[in-house]
Amino acid sequence: MITVNCNDVLPIQHELLVFVSDQIGAIPTLKHHEFVLSPIENDDEIDKKQVTASIKEYLDSIGEVNNFGVIADSDTILIKSINGKKINKVIQPVQSLRSCCGF
């Protein structure tokens, strides 16, 4: 189980959760300032490096990758503003992000 702290990126928390959970194949649980990713199978583990890379990919798609650091510590990943910037509104990604069901 991996917890992603979204305090500095709350307006994009939901879109980020959908993007990351789709990319790594995990079960997401939304909380107030964070989300939790759980493996689909009980004996599986979630790769923190893959989660970190997916978060950075999403931040890059909305043009914010240079403004936020993604820090992994134990089972927690923190998305932290580098220069004090906070995202104040939902930013539409450059590319269309969709959940796919094979169609």
Side-chain angles (χ1 to χ4, degrees):
M1 198 164 63
I2 302 282
T3 301
V4 179
N5 182 310
C6 298
N7 276 327
D8 287 357
V9 294
L10 284 177
I12 62 167
Q13 178 182 13
H14 185 264
E15 291 79 11
L16 179 64
L17 169 139
V18 170
F19 182 82
V20 173
S21 64
D22 279 355
Q23 284 228 322
I24 66 166
I27 299 169
T29 304
L30 185 61
K31 295 188 174 186
H32 188 60
H33 293 286
E34 62 190 19
F35 61 86
V36 177
L37 298 167
S38 302
I40 294 173
E41 298 291 328
N42 288 335
D43 55 345
D44 287 346
E45 288 188 30
I46 296 176
D47 184 1
K48 278 190 298 191
K49 290 180 184 179
Q50 189 179 10
V51 174
T52 301
S54 183
I55 293 169
K56 288 179 182 179
E57 182 180 340
Y58 182 81
L59 290 171
D60 187 40
S61 77
I62 62 171
E64 294 289 347
V65 74
N66 294 323
N67 295 318
F68 293 90
V70 182
I71 305 158
D73 181 33
S74 187
D75 289 336
T76 301
I77 296 174
L78 173 66
I79 305 169
K80 188 72 179 159
S81 176
I82 294 172
N83 54 10
K85 180 179 180 181
K86 293 206 184 239
I87 296 176
N88 295 320
K89 62 179 182 174
V90 176
I91 299 171
Q92 295 300 321
V94 174
Q95 298 176 349
S96 172
L97 300 176
R98 297 183 227 172
S99 296
C100 183
C101 59
F103 296 102

